[in-house]
Amino acid sequence: MAQPTVPVMPQARAKGSITLSPDHSSRECYRMDYLEEFPVLFIDDELHSDTAEGRASREIVKELKEEDFPVIEALTARDGVHAILSHPHVCCVIIDWDLTPEPADGMLTAADLITLIRERNPKVPIFLNTEKLAISAIPLSVISRIDGYIWKLEDTPAFIAGHVKRAAKNYLSDVLPPFFRGLMDYVEDYRYSWHTPGHMGGVAFLKNAAGRIFYKFFGENTLRADLSVSVPELGSLLEHSGVVGEAERKAAEVFGADRTYFVTGGTSAANKIVWLGTVTPGDLVLVDRNCHASVMHAIIMTGAIPVYLIPARNDYGIIGPIRSSEFRPEVIAEKIRRCPLVEGPASQPVRLATITNSTYDGICYSTGWIEERLRDVVAYLHFDEAWSAYARFHPLYAGRFGMRRSTDPADPTVFATQSTHKVLAAFSQGSMLHVRQGRGAVDHARFNEAFMMFTSTSPQYTIIASLDVATKMMSGHSGKFLVEEALEEAIVFRKKMVAVAEEIRMNPLPDEKYWWFTVWQPDCIMGQETETNDHLLQEDAGCWLLNPDEAWHGFDGIEERYAMLDPVKVTILTPGVGVGGGMEERGIPAAIVTKYLRESGIVVEKTGYYSFLVLFTLGITKGKSGTLLAELFRFKALYDGNSPLEEVFPDLVRRYPARYGGLGLAEICGEMHEFLRSESITEVVRNVYSRLPEQVMTPAEAYLRLVRGEVTQVPVSSLEGRTVAVMVVPYPPGIPVIMPGERCGPETRAIVDYLGILQEFDTRFPGFESEVHGVDVVMEDGQRVYYVYCVAE
């Protein structure tokens, strides 16, 4: 007999579960089945004392535990602080007003604890444990921040526990955001489903061995929450109705937008929605050449004519900001005049400008500065903020995000597309598209047609729920402190790296062992004895500015306060590149370091030739950064001892024994560095992006030729003079070196040379092959040869 699609009867409720109300139209309908996850924090220095007050406190704790509330006990103010930091999900806090300050705690008082808690969570219930006669001595600043009092020697423990329980339930009833609350309610109703998806709440997976493993791995709730648009209680993402519409409206409020759209196809889809909703064939657009491939795809899809804004690059190949001079009206006008694809440039308006903020390497712009310069140039301004969705929530980033306040109706309409899943807490592919209305305001009904083009009629509800929860996590005071923790960890790591370098410098070592990894950052970031304290580094953006008179960043053409480095994006530099960009005799290519880290369980975000990027996001912990530091130490020891590759990279040696057998770690680093040095890779990479190829046809026209088969494959050695039909994107750095419809000539020969170097590198160092999108790799006589589709002549 076939199994039913869902259980006929509800499952037994978990211990401690509470049903507040069966009425699903009420906010109190949420059924808290997870009470055991939310403890009560009891801070009382007499909890373990053999006194009347100590015994009364223990009785209250006993009553709470019998009500299935876990209790965290803290005997000092400092213990209370640690408990709050490690258990931010407490549902109630009880503090003894007569808590004795101790020198070891820094003389923290109950009032100090209340201030700290309220800075982190303005809503969690706080009760003061005191005497009635003592209330008159409690300052108004404290009274206004608490929810009530406990008279533990006058009321019964059961009464006090009930009072706490009621407050905790009321608090928890408002914890969940609208869509996730509705999704949980629907899933827990155990309804028979006669609609898609076909697995029917996961039951279909139970009919097969592989399916059962799948079911067990992901769990019942994940599969039961995979629902269909046929569920009216959850509204429609395409129509932005019901609780999903409510969730989007709440996100707009939290992220400072006039309107927010939940996007389940990642920021790749969000970027295309912006473009398809604003740009038409033949429109002129300004595009950051340092943009994501999805923006380049949008250029193809819309048939737009791109005019590029050129970013700076330094000697490490780190992508800097667009030079401020690129935004001058006269410079933009000259770019348009010189664009061979523009007819009648004097009368051609610019429809949209797209800027990457922050860049992949963590450079944030002054968005107000950019808006001011483009105010009379474009009607629509799009900031691709895939990597900086958190910027609004901390004062360090003030004025460096798209959804900043604007009261000038002459400002352009601003879009900000954010990868919530990358840097906040959401499922992969969960992104948001924010709109701030300005000149050329967006009409929702028309814009939604573009939204529907890139949104499935069967969206993944768990992605939507994760976006809803991410919004709730960033609302109120919570957002600031979540970002603050990431900043703290990043700054501690940065300073520790500097301190380690100083310690190595002070210790007597042979010349060949006198090295350490450095961090790309302002000179004011010192070690543990720095005059720049942690608080200043966390709060003052001036510490992180790319000032024009400072050499550390390596970029020219930077205006004062125009751009800053995001502290949570940490670029670690490996030896090999000297001051001024010249390559040193000895070096350690970053690809070898990050391969070692990857095989040690540490995956970095991006690897350059002599640099790699690590992200300190909301999910960072002290253990993670400590592990990274330990593995860097271990790599140094292995390198200094020239450890055999059979021990460092055993899989690599097994796969390519003839190439790597018998070599040591220092030897392969030396070989790879010598190749890159002989090819002057730092100079080549800088030249590749300093001048753009010739525009022969629009990207859309080149793509049409590709689809029609009016193309031929050309080896990169013969690429000069040919018009390419695809986007060629080497990783690192993940930025196109050539776009569809462009042609390399003698002035841009560096692009052809660069691709040739990558091709040769892949042949010489198997296992470390370059990732280049847009090329086909063919083995010819034992050599890797790159082929690129070009328009047929």
Side-chain angles (χ1 to χ4, degrees), residues 143 160 292 333 362 426 656 686-687 721 781:
I143 294 174
I160 294 171
H292 190 259
Y656 304 105
R686 194 166 53 243
N687 291 338
D781 300 325

Side-chain angles (χ1 to χ4, degrees), residues 46 53 95-98 128-138 149-154:
E46 293 198 68
E53 292 183 349
I95 303 175
D96 182 7
W97 176 245
D98 296 321
L128 272 188
N129 177 15
T130 186
E131 299 177 1
K132 289 184 179 180
L133 294 177
I135 292 180
S136 60
I138 298 175
Y149 306 92
I150 287 175
W151 331 109
K152 64 181 178 181
L153 294 179
E154 300 180 42

Side-chain angles (χ1 to χ4, degrees), residues 80-133:
V81 169
H82 291 321
I84 285 293
L85 295 177
S86 58
H87 298 82
H89 55 293
V90 296
C91 64
C92 188
V93 183
I94 301 170
I95 303 175
D96 182 7
W97 176 245
D98 296 321
L99 200 62
T100 303
E102 297 182 5
D105 291 344
M107 302 303 289
L108 286 172
T109 66
D112 296 327
L113 281 173
I114 292 168
T115 298
L116 182 145
I117 294 168
R118 281 291 174 248
E119 285 178 346
R120 299 185 68 85
N121 189 332
K123 294 184 177 181
V124 66
I126 300 177
F127 290 100
L128 272 188
N129 177 15
T130 186
E131 299 177 1
K132 289 184 179 180
L133 294 177

Side-chain angles (χ1 to χ4, degrees), residues 177-224:
F179 181 83
F180 185 43
R181 181 199 305 270
L183 181 62
M184 286 189 69
D185 283 342
Y186 186 88
V187 167
E188 292 184 355
D189 270 348
Y190 297 96
R191 305 182 188 190
Y192 282 106
S193 63
W194 294 88
H195 53 70
T196 58
H199 62 72
M200 296 287 183
V203 173
F205 292 113
L206 298 175
K207 300 180 179 182
N208 175 273
R212 280 185 172 272
I213 295 172
F214 182 89
Y215 183 98
K216 184 176 181 180
F217 180 82
F218 284 104
E220 180 180 355
N221 279 346
T222 299
L223 298 169
R224 288 176 57 78

Side-chain angles (χ1 to χ4, degrees), residues 637-650:
L638 293 170
Y639 175 87
D640 289 344
N642 193 28
S643 297
L645 289 185
E646 285 89 346
E647 298 176 9
V648 183
F649 299 130

Side-chain angles (χ1 to χ4, degrees), residues 742-763:
E742 293 180 341
R743 179 170 60 201
C744 288
E747 293 180 338
T748 52
R749 175 72 195 183
I751 295 174
V752 179
D753 293 339
Y754 178 47
L755 293 174
I757 291 171
L758 297 182
Q759 181 178 264
E760 176 68 15
F761 180 92
D762 290 357
T763 298

Side-chain angles (χ1 to χ4, degrees), residues 477-648:
H477 290 65
S478 175
K480 178 181 184 295
F481 282 93
L482 287 171
V483 178
E484 186 99 348
E485 287 179 345
L487 283 168
E488 288 175 0
E489 289 304 313
I491 289 168
V492 167
F493 178 79
R494 286 174 176 275
K495 293 172 72 174
K496 185 62 177 176
M497 290 288 287
V498 175
V500 169
E502 181 67 14
E503 186 175 342
I504 291 174
R505 189 181 71 82
M506 297 297 292
N507 290 328
L509 290 171
D511 289 345
E512 68 272 11
K513 296 184 180 181
Y514 173 59
W515 68 274
W516 180 243
F517 304 95
T518 56
V519 179
W520 184 64
Q521 59 190 5
D523 295 333
C524 68
I525 317 301
M526 299 299 178
Q528 299 299 326
E529 303 302 321
T530 177
E531 295 181 2
T532 309
N533 62 48
D534 289 357
H535 178 74
L536 188 64
L537 292 172
Q538 293 167 21
E539 300 289 338
D540 186 359
C543 297
W544 304 96
L545 291 176
L546 277 67
N547 292 315
D549 58 344
E550 295 178 352
W552 69 267
H553 51 74
F555 304 123
D556 56 9
I558 305 293
E559 287 200 17
E560 198 78 35
R561 306 195 71 81
Y562 166 62
M564 67 169 273
L565 173 63
D566 186 348
V568 303
K569 298 180 175 70
V570 181
T571 296
I572 298 173
L573 307 178
T574 64
V577 179
V579 178
M583 299 191 70
E584 299 173 333
E585 288 189 14
R586 189 166 65 97
I588 302 175
I592 297 177
V593 180
T594 57
K595 181 178 180 62
Y596 167 78
L597 292 175
R598 188 165 57 252
E599 296 193 2
S600 300
I602 297 173
V603 182
V604 307
E605 180 57 42
K606 182 173 78 73
T607 303
Y609 289 106
Y610 294 91
S611 67
F612 59 94
L613 175 69
V614 293
L615 302 179
F616 283 72
T617 59
L618 270 56
I620 196 67
T621 64
K622 291 179 175 64
K624 288 178 70 173
S625 58
T627 301
L628 172 58
L629 194 63
E631 290 299 338
L632 291 177
F633 268 116
R634 186 162 179 263
F635 180 91
K636 174 176 168 53
L638 293 170
Y639 175 87
D640 289 344
N642 193 28
S643 297
L645 289 185
E646 285 89 346
E647 298 176 9
V648 183

